[in-house]
Structure formats: structure tokens, C-alpha cells
Amino acid sequence: MLDNELHFLLLRAFNHSNRRIDAAIRRIGLLPGQPKILECLNEQDGRTAKEICAECILDKSTMTGLLTRMEHKGLVRREASESDRRSYLVFLTDEGRDCAGRVAEIMAAADTTATDGMNDEERQSLREGLRCIIANLERADARERAGQAASNTEPHHDEVLHTAAGSEA
């Protein structure tokens, strides 16, 4: 039964949580992806776009579009980096900081709803279990990327056969 499958339970929990959060953030005029950026900058203001991409698990093209929209709405501002002229730092504006506070309230409400009926120990155990799952999956992804990179530098089977046949002639 699917209700005993971890991947299915994770997917169901994500979908339910994501729908609640998405509806709430749209009511305050934000698009998906923007709350993560606000939370990230609220935690540490003045990050590079590359740092935000890594922290928020967003690709560069998505990040660029989100930041541009957020800048037009007055939520963030960009400043040239003094240490690297090719990059810029992203900062929250006062309006962005206020919006980040509303996002924190939305996320806290979603977490409270999701863990209703659980005690503090169960909530902590859930967080620890999820951190372990994330770490396991990130390690597996890294191994797969390393394996793909290694296979891209190794000659293909046909090339090895052709080279071996050519050296016999």
C-alpha cells in the first residue's frame, strides 16, 4: 500500500504543505520562490545571487527573474560587490523586511498545521529524520554526479575497441 511508502508520504506531505503556502503567499502578492529568497536574506542580508541560489535550491535563470520582479516591487535592492566587480550583493529593503516577517508567519502557521497533534519531542524527531533523509539524498546525488563526470572523461567502449583494433594494424 502506498501509505507505507516513504517517497509517497513525503510527496503527499509536500503537496499539501505547498498548496497551503502557495495560496497564502499569493494573497500577499508573492510568487513561488520569492518567499525562500526573503527568508534567506532575512537570515543573512547582503548575499550574492550565487549564494542565494545554493541556499534556496534555485537555478540561475529562475533566480534572475525572481530578483528582478522583487526589485521592481521594492522588496530587494542590488549593490555591486566591492570584492568582486562581476557580482552583486542582494539586500532586503524595509518593505522586503516587512514582507519577510509576513512570510515567516505564513510558514510558522503551515508548520503548526502540519504538526498538529505532535508533541515537541515528535516534532524534533521529525526534523532530525528529515535532515538525515536530505543528507542521504544529497550524498547520493553527489556520488551520481561524480560518476557521470568520471564516465564523461573515460573513453567510450566503441572508442576503446577502435583504438585497440587500430593499434594491432
Side-chain angles (χ1 to χ4, degrees), residues 49-104:
K50 185 176 182 177
E51 291 169 334
I52 298 169
C53 282
E55 182 74 21
C56 296
I57 313 168
L58 293 168
D59 61 62
K60 186 178 177 182
S61 61
T62 300
M63 171 64 63
T64 301
L66 289 172
L67 286 177
T68 298
R69 286 184 190 96
M70 293 172 77
E71 196 170 25
H72 290 315
K73 287 184 72 167
L75 300 175
V76 298
R77 62 181 166 70
R78 302 181 215 201
E79 291 182 12
S81 171
E82 292 179 14
S83 61
D84 181 358
R85 302 246 181 230
R86 295 170 297 168
S87 69
Y88 55 88
L89 301 176
V90 182
F91 294 89
L92 289 174
T93 62
D94 289 341
E95 187 174 340
R97 200 167 315 291
D98 290 344
C99 194
R102 289 192 302 265
V103 165

Side-chain angles (χ1 to χ4, degrees), residues 8-49:
F8 184 72
L9 294 171
L10 289 170
L11 184 62
R12 281 189 65 192
F14 170 77
N15 283 332
H16 284 290
S17 177
N18 196 49
R19 271 193 300 244
R20 296 182 68 76
I21 291 169
D22 187 59
I25 64 157
R26 287 182 187 277
R27 283 194 293 272
I28 63 169
L30 294 177
L31 298 173
Q34 292 177 334
K36 289 190 288 188
I37 295 169
L38 290 170
E39 288 179 303
C40 179
L41 291 172
N42 202 40
E43 186 176 279
Q44 181 185 332
D45 212 7
R47 294 185 187 211
T48 65

Side-chain angles (χ1 to χ4, degrees), residues 17 28 31 54 61 71 80 86 105 112 118 127 130 160 163:
S17 177
I28 63 169
L31 298 173
S61 61
E71 196 170 25
R86 295 170 297 168
E105 291 169 5
T112 299
M118 297 173 78
R127 282 191 290 274
L130 289 171
V160 172
T163 304

Side-chain angles (χ1 to χ4, degrees), residues 85-143:
R85 302 246 181 230
R86 295 170 297 168
S87 69
Y88 55 88
L89 301 176
V90 182
F91 294 89
L92 289 174
T93 62
D94 289 341
E95 187 174 340
R97 200 167 315 291
D98 290 344
C99 194
R102 289 192 302 265
V103 165
E105 291 169 5
I106 289 168
M107 300 306 177
D111 289 352
T112 299
T113 299
T115 59
D116 187 39
M118 297 173 78
N119 63 37
D120 289 342
E121 187 177 314
E122 290 168 325
R123 285 184 189 98
Q124 184 59 30
S125 181
L126 175 62
R127 282 191 290 274
E128 289 170 7
L130 289 171
R131 284 187 198 105
C132 182
I133 289 169
I134 291 165
N136 289 339
L137 294 172
E138 286 176 345
R139 277 193 300 278
D141 287 348
R143 282 192 303 270

